[in-house]
């Protein structure tokens, strides 16, 4: 970690699900399938809020782009 970066607390699957307004099991499944940024610590999944914000923004951008 660079000195310029601040430590960011990690979210549990319950907290990440609440933030994204998804079910906890959906968030865990998406993490397992690498569809959402996540960190696996042993058998536990954790999420950075900044990663989830970027993920959500990317999803909105991909929906808004015209097809063709």
């Amino acid at each position: 970690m660079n000195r310029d970066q601040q430590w960011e607390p990690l979210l549990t699957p319950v907290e990440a699900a609440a933030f994204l307004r998804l079910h906890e099991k959906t968030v865990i499944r998406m993490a397992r399938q690498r569809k959402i940024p996540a960190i696996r610590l042993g058998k536990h999944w954790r999420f950075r809020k900044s990663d989830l914000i970027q993920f959500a923004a990317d999803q909105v951008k991909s929906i808004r782009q015209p097809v063709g």
Side-chain angles (χ1 to χ4, degrees):
M1 183 185 298
N2 294 337
R3 288 176 27 168
D4 297 336
Q5 294 176 331
Q6 290 185 342
W7 181 80
E8 180 178 357
L10 300 174
L11 302 179
T12 66
V14 171
E15 295 166 330
F19 178 74
L20 295 172
R21 296 182 183 205
L22 296 171
H23 193 277
E24 174 188 3
K25 288 186 179 186
T26 302
V27 170
I28 292 170
R29 186 179 56 223
M30 292 175 73
R32 200 177 303 124
Q33 296 170 347
R34 298 176 185 236
K35 292 183 177 180
I36 191 169
I39 301 165
R40 184 125 189 218
L41 300 171
K43 63 180 183 176
H44 303 284
W45 287 100
R46 295 295 180 257
F47 305 84
R48 286 189 187 102
K49 191 171 186 178
S50 60
D51 289 343
L52 299 179
I53 291 169
Q54 185 63 51
F55 168 78
D58 291 346
Q59 296 302 301
V60 170
K61 285 179 191 175
S62 68
I63 290 171
R64 292 187 178 181
Q65 289 183 357
V67 176

